[in-house]
Amino acid sequence: MTIKEQLEKISRNTQEIINLEELESKLSRKSKLKVKLGIDPTANSIHLGFAVVLRKFKLFQDLGHETILVLGDFTALIGDPSGKNKTRPMLTQKEIEENLKTYLPQLGKIIDLQKTKIVYNSQWLSNLKPEEIIKLTSRYTLAQMLEREDFKNRYKSNEPISLHELMYPLFQAYDSVYLQADVELGGIDQKFNFIVTRYIQEKYNQEPEVAIMLPILEGIDGVNKMSKSLGNYIGIDEDPLTMFTKIMSINDNLIKRYFQLCTNLPEENIEKFFKIYENPRDIKYILAKEIVSIYHSEEKANKAYEEFVNIYSQKNLPSHIPFFKINSELIDSQNNLNIIEALYAAGILESKAEAKRLLSQGGIYLNGQKLTQKIVKFQKPFIIRIGKFNYYQIEVK
RNA sequence: GGGCAGGUGGCCGAGCGGUCAAAGGCAUGGGACUGUAAAUCCCACGGGCGAGAGCCCUUCAGUGGUUCAAAUCCACUCCUGCCCA
């Protein structure tokens, strides 16, 4: 593949590259670039937002470059302050290990683990002597650090900034120095860290890495970036139906973006869908099928589609309804059951007050009938619906 | 080290002795409308008891105190920010 073709593929759907000329120059000099991707093992599941970056990483693997995955077990102790207005809680070594256990198999769904060199940055960062840390920190100034948006904002609004947080970009930079990275991948929110890294690499007499920054995918709320803590994420390990449903619930104006960032479909196809279909829902169907196919299979995607139409469009019962058990004492000799007690006892709702609220607001249905009073006859099957689409089946122990 | 200002529900933020389970906003949940959404409107949003008006319990950083009564006053402790050194 020519350099031009590589550049074209690499830069597709990126948000910013610092900078393209350097990348071209590197490609012309080396056939194998060292491509670094740092991940913070603070989460234990990968969502579509991070998948955007991983997919680009996979591209470099396909192009035959050396791909290095840096598991930031050391830097996770600090917590990346990017985009945060609060100090992150420090993770313990144990929590990090737990997270990694579930993390790696998920990574394998997107990237080729065989071709991936996996390293832990504690390998070198933990061995840094205080003298070396001083040397590292002497290369950057407080004013430079405070230029960073998140720090600036926090500083201005009298929010605390712990000293260790200032170290984060420096340690991340040191990773690249240690690994002699040619290219680093990340979200656009990493821009500051990348700039620091390039700067530090030069201070260590290295050629600065090329920073390839990908867009930040919005979560299903359509506003905030996709993140687990905001609860607006779509995990790549979620079951097909959940995934399908979540994709269907994204904002209409995100459809195109999801197509571009989460699927492999060429631009022309995407444009075509918008021409063919009037109802955005139908384009979302294609999108959802496409994404579910990537992480599960085409067959499962089609099944998820059928199930979705069944439940949400035709308002039929889902094919699987979770069972919850209650004690037989809750049912009296007349076969009466207090639905509030039952929902609470079965563990479906957190408190009886919540059950009462839902009942008085008409949010509880028994076998399709809206309940208006709390005493009901127990019958089989006993299928409870809460809200529009949450189904539960109650059985007697 | 000295001076000052703060720490309130999932988050932000009012309250500053009784009328406080604590205004308002955001988030969330339910209902209406829909395309599964979004937007909009209505309602709810610590827990327990009660059909219900209502009653009770646990909350306003922590501990101890003053008071008939404390988120509100006092003391100490912890945490945060600002100014001076």
Side-chain angles (χ1 to χ4, degrees):
Chain A
M1 189 174 295
T2 66
I3 290 174
K4 219 173 172 67
E5 284 169 329
Q6 283 203 49
L7 283 173
E8 153 63 26
K9 286 199 174 217
I10 291 168
S11 50
R12 184 173 180 245
N13 284 326
T14 56
Q15 175 125 8
E16 191 174 346
I17 296 179
I18 305 176
N19 57 55
L20 212 53
E21 294 75 49
E22 282 178 29
L23 181 61
E24 190 170 4
S25 149
K26 277 176 190 274
L27 283 169
S28 63
R29 281 178 286 131
K30 301 182 184 181
S31 58
K32 245 182 173 201
L33 297 182
K34 283 192 175 183
V35 180
K36 172 194 167 197
L37 173 63
I39 60 174
D40 230 352
T42 46
N44 49 25
S45 75
I46 294 173
H47 56 62
L48 290 182
F50 187 56
V52 174
V53 180
L54 285 171
R55 286 155 58 82
K56 190 61 78 177
F57 190 70
K58 175 70 162 58
L59 171 70
F60 277 95
Q61 298 191 316
D62 293 343
L63 293 174
H65 295 287
E66 182 185 352
T67 46
I68 308 167
L69 197 64
V70 181
L71 292 175
D73 61 336
F74 186 90
T75 32
L77 294 170
I78 302 176
D80 184 4
S82 291
K84 297 284 160 188
N85 48 17
K86 273 187 185 159
T87 309
R88 286 197 177 185
M90 289 202 201
L91 287 189
T92 64
Q93 197 63 40
K94 203 168 176 179
E95 287 171 314
I96 291 168
E97 277 167 27
E98 285 298 312
N99 284 339
L100 284 179
K101 243 180 253 171
T102 50
Y103 211 82
L104 287 176
Q106 291 181 61
L107 281 174
K109 284 192 168 192
I110 300 176
I111 63 173
D112 185 343
L113 289 174
Q114 296 295 319
K115 289 184 187 165
T116 311
K117 184 175 165 192
I118 297 179
V119 289
Y120 293 76
N121 68 359
S122 60
Q123 270 173 26
W124 54 88
L125 291 179
S126 292
N127 294 328
L128 278 182
K129 292 193 186 125
E131 291 87 334
E132 289 167 311
I133 294 175
I134 288 170
K135 184 182 164 198
L136 175 64
T137 50
S138 68
R139 303 303 161 94
Y140 220 74
T141 68
L142 185 60
Q144 284 175 307
M145 249 345 145
L146 287 177
E147 272 174 38
R148 181 187 178 137
E149 195 71 17
D150 344 286
F151 286 147
K152 205 195 299 173
N153 289 343
R154 281 163 67 180
Y155 192 67
K156 270 192 192 157
S157 57
N158 293 344
E159 293 287 336
I161 303 170
S162 296
L163 286 180
H164 74 284
E165 294 180 78
L166 300 176
M167 302 290 290
Y168 189 95
L170 294 176
F171 281 133
Q172 184 175 322
Y174 191 82
D175 289 347
S176 291
V177 170
Y178 180 86
L179 295 167
Q180 304 188 355
D182 291 306
V183 172
E184 176 154 10
L185 298 179
I188 189 71
D189 56 345
Q190 291 294 310
K191 185 169 177 177
F192 180 87
N193 291 342
F194 290 164
I195 290 168
V196 175
T197 300
R198 285 167 52 84
Y199 182 88
I200 294 291
Q201 277 179 308
E202 283 195 293
K203 292 283 181 188
Y204 278 79
N205 298 317
Q206 275 183 24
E207 194 179 321
E209 65 184 20
V210 173
I212 297 179
M213 290 160 279
L214 293 132
I216 300 296
L217 187 68
E218 290 81 1
I220 49 183
D221 58 7
V223 182
N224 297 302
K225 77 174 222 178
M226 185 178 283
S227 87
K228 199 169 185 192
S229 51
L230 291 174
N232 63 357
Y233 69 99
I234 302 171
I236 66 161
D237 62 338
E238 295 193 86
D239 66 83
L241 181 61
T242 306
M243 210 171 188
F244 199 98
T245 308
K246 283 189 175 180
I247 296 164
M248 289 306 288
S249 75
I250 63 166
N251 235 304
D252 285 356
N253 53 25
L254 285 177
I255 299 175
K256 197 166 185 181
R257 198 162 160 82
Y258 270 60
F259 263 117
Q260 289 170 334
L261 297 177
C262 305
T263 73
N264 299 314
L265 294 176
E267 201 73 21
E268 314 89 73
N269 291 26
I270 302 169
E271 294 296 338
K272 214 159 60 192
F273 298 141
F274 282 89
K275 286 203 185 97
I276 298 174
Y277 296 101
E278 291 267 316
N279 191 337
R281 181 196 59 188
D282 297 322
I283 311 175
K284 275 194 206 173
Y285 279 147
I286 299 171
L287 175 69
K289 274 192 204 174
E290 200 62 39
I291 295 176
V292 174
S293 297
I294 292 173
Y295 298 103
H296 294 283
S297 67
E298 203 179 324
E299 194 197 340
K300 284 186 178 162
N302 283 325
K303 275 205 179 134
Y305 165 73
E306 281 164 27
E307 180 80 353
F308 181 88
V309 171
N310 184 42
I311 303 171
Y312 295 93
S313 286
Q314 295 171 15
K315 315 268 192 253
N316 291 326
L317 292 178
S319 55
H320 297 290
I321 303 175
F323 282 101
F324 291 83
K325 293 196 188 283
I326 55 166
N327 264 319
S328 54
E329 290 112 64
L330 286 171
I331 300 167
D332 72 7
S333 52
Q334 256 75 59
N335 211 29
N336 288 324
L337 176 66
N338 183 327
I339 194 68
I340 289 168
E341 298 288 339
L343 289 171
Y344 176 71
I348 294 170
L349 296 177
E350 298 268 312
S351 73
K352 293 182 195 171
E354 191 182 0
K356 269 188 218 172
R357 241 178 268 142
L358 286 166
L359 183 67
S360 67
Q361 292 178 146
I364 301 179
Y365 306 78
L366 169 60
N367 295 338
Q369 291 288 312
K370 181 182 279 192
L371 293 182
T372 50
Q373 52 182 34
K374 65 183 186 181
I375 304 298
V376 298
K377 293 280 179 207
F378 184 76
Q379 53 191 287
K380 275 189 178 175
F382 197 82
I383 296 169
I384 290 291
R385 194 183 100 210
I386 295 177
K388 287 197 202 301
F389 306 110
N390 300 307
Y391 290 91
Y392 308 90
Q393 199 155 179
I394 292 180
E395 285 190 327
V396 178
K397 238 181 240 176

